[in-house]
Amino acid sequence: NKIIDLADAVMVARGDLGVELPIEDVPGIQKKLIRLARRMGKPVVVATQMLESMVNSPTPTRAEVSDVATAVYDGSDAVMLSEETSVGKFPIDAVSVMNRVAEKVEVDPLYRYIMDAEHPNPDPTTSDAITAAAGRVADTVSAKLIATYTTSGSTALRAARERPSVPILVLTPIKKTARRLTISWGLHCVETEDAHSMQDMVSRACDLARAEGLVKIGQRIIITAGVPFGTPGTTNVFRIAKITKTNFYK
């Protein structure tokens, strides 16, 4: 727990774990690390020999496909290829297979059931309370997106930890933050100026959500932000907005 708390992200490198520990312990440790990382709001990547046969073969084994799917079902933020794309003969095919498997898992009703069943309890803070509520309200009002303003990235990581059923649009004025967050589950990051007012907050989120092709006119979105704007760690605003033709921000 202390190591994960100090880390920016976690990589479950099964090759290294298999060297240091009995190989039969690795699957259980993988699941434990994924759960701990999610609970603490840290991105977790599963890696090593996921589609190793595709280094020399255009198709993976069924066991490898199951391995990738299991990592996604467990709740990992990302699955990673290494030798398959660095020196393999079929790098594009390997990426395509991994992407198809991940997408198939994420539309499986069982996946949603697992994510909800293993839902971590929010911390007793305003930021966590608002972020946890966003996903539930999105389901209740059939919103298509959660838009969250963030400077440090902590609010976006809290939103990803919730594993909502809709995409998360992250709006940040800091390019470094946007790049760092792209590895996290469900986050679509856009670099933009911070909001200057409540109206600007709503209009900017609606327009950028539409510009990124994430929503259509007439659909609803959830917006979370912090006032005073631009102050890290102050998420205290929650809005439901509707996409219209006149949401233009200045």
Side-chain angles (χ1 to χ4, degrees), residues 1-227:
N1 285 27
K2 292 181 179 179
I3 293 174
I4 295 177
D5 186 48
L6 293 172
D8 293 318
V10 177
M11 176 177 285
V12 184
R14 284 96 54 88
D16 294 327
L17 288 173
V19 171
E20 300 295 333
L21 300 167
I23 57 174
E24 63 271 19
D25 290 345
V26 173
I29 291 173
Q30 172 178 315
K31 292 179 182 294
K32 181 180 180 181
L33 289 174
I34 292 173
R35 286 182 173 86
L36 281 174
R38 180 186 173 191
R39 187 183 308 157
M40 299 175 74
K42 301 296 178 74
V44 56
V45 181
V46 177
T48 312
Q49 298 177 332
M50 302 214 78
L51 297 174
E52 188 179 24
S53 68
M54 293 193 73
V55 172
N56 296 303
S57 171
T59 57
T61 67
R62 304 304 183 265
E64 288 170 337
V65 171
S66 182
D67 183 36
V68 173
T70 296
V72 180
Y73 276 117
D74 285 343
S76 59
D77 290 81
V79 284
M80 178 177 163
L81 296 169
S82 48
E83 189 178 6
E84 300 92 334
T85 51
S86 62
V87 298
K89 297 178 180 178
F90 306 96
I92 296 176
D93 295 306
V95 172
S96 177
V97 167
M98 180 168 275
N99 183 62
R100 294 203 314 270
V101 173
E103 288 185 339
K104 187 68 174 181
V105 169
E106 290 183 341
V107 297
D108 184 352
L110 177 61
Y111 174 76
R112 175 47 48 193
Y113 175 81
I114 293 172
M115 292 301 99
D116 292 342
E118 297 180 355
H119 189 278
N121 293 323
D123 294 331
T125 64
T126 301
S127 296
D128 262 30
I130 288 176
T131 306
R136 294 179 174 85
V137 175
D139 289 337
T140 301
V141 302
S142 298
K144 300 301 180 182
L145 176 84
I146 296 171
T148 180
Y149 286 85
T150 185
T151 301
S152 66
S154 60
T155 301
L157 290 174
R158 288 190 184 96
R161 182 180 68 178
E162 297 299 317
R163 300 295 194 266
S165 60
V166 296
I168 304 166
L169 175 63
V170 179
L171 305 174
T172 178
I174 302 175
K175 182 177 292 187
K176 183 178 179 180
T177 298
R179 288 176 172 173
R180 176 169 55 85
L181 292 173
T182 54
I183 197 173
S184 299
W185 186 97
L187 301 187
H188 183 96
C189 303
V190 175
E191 181 188 3
T192 182
E193 292 182 18
D194 214 334
H196 307 299
S197 65
M198 295 297 288
Q199 179 57 45
D200 183 46
M201 176 194 79
V202 174
S203 297
R204 187 181 297 270
C206 289
D207 284 352
L208 289 174
R210 187 180 169 196
E212 293 294 313
L214 300 173
V215 293
K216 300 177 181 178
I217 292 175
Q219 294 179 331
R220 291 175 175 175
I221 68 171
I222 306 298
I223 305 171
T224 68
V227 176

